[in-house]
Amino acid sequence: MSHFYNKKFLYRIAEENGIPYPKTIEIETLKDISSAIDCLTAPYILKPQTTVSQNEIAKCGITTYHRTQKFESKDEV
């Protein structure tokens, strides 16, 4: 079961078996968001791979403490 917590592995299994899954792009830095966003359509859901602190989230200008953030437009992202 632990393999299914790894999104790369999970999505590969889904693709091999014809199971739909959300288009996913992994980015390494915040600078990569601009180019990655052009490959996707709204809504955009951003989720850090690792747990982040409330202080780190606040530094990004996000006012709600949720690890996963949903955005409705490229400008909002």
Side-chain angles (χ1 to χ4, degrees):
M1 285 299 291
S2 64
H3 290 294
F4 293 103
Y5 292 108
N6 180 321
K7 295 290 191 233
K8 284 183 184 179
F9 180 80
L10 180 63
Y11 292 156
R12 190 179 81 219
I13 296 289
E15 186 161 334
E16 289 172 357
N17 291 281
I19 300 169
Y21 61 94
K23 173 121 174 129
T24 303
I25 296 176
E26 292 187 34
I27 58 172
E28 296 296 322
T29 68
L30 289 176
K31 294 176 189 174
D32 299 333
I33 289 177
S34 295
S35 59
I37 204 92
D38 290 335
C39 301
L40 302 170
T41 57
Y44 307 98
I45 299 173
L46 277 70
K47 179 180 175 186
Q49 185 175 15
T50 57
T51 302
V52 294
S53 71
Q54 186 171 4
N55 188 39
E56 290 171 308
I57 291 172
K59 285 180 188 176
C60 294
I62 297 170
T63 57
T64 58
Y65 180 65
H66 296 286
R67 184 171 170 219
T68 302
Q69 296 291 318
K70 181 179 176 184
F71 303 96
E72 298 297 334
S73 70
K74 289 181 183 182
D75 291 336
E76 192 178 351
V77 172

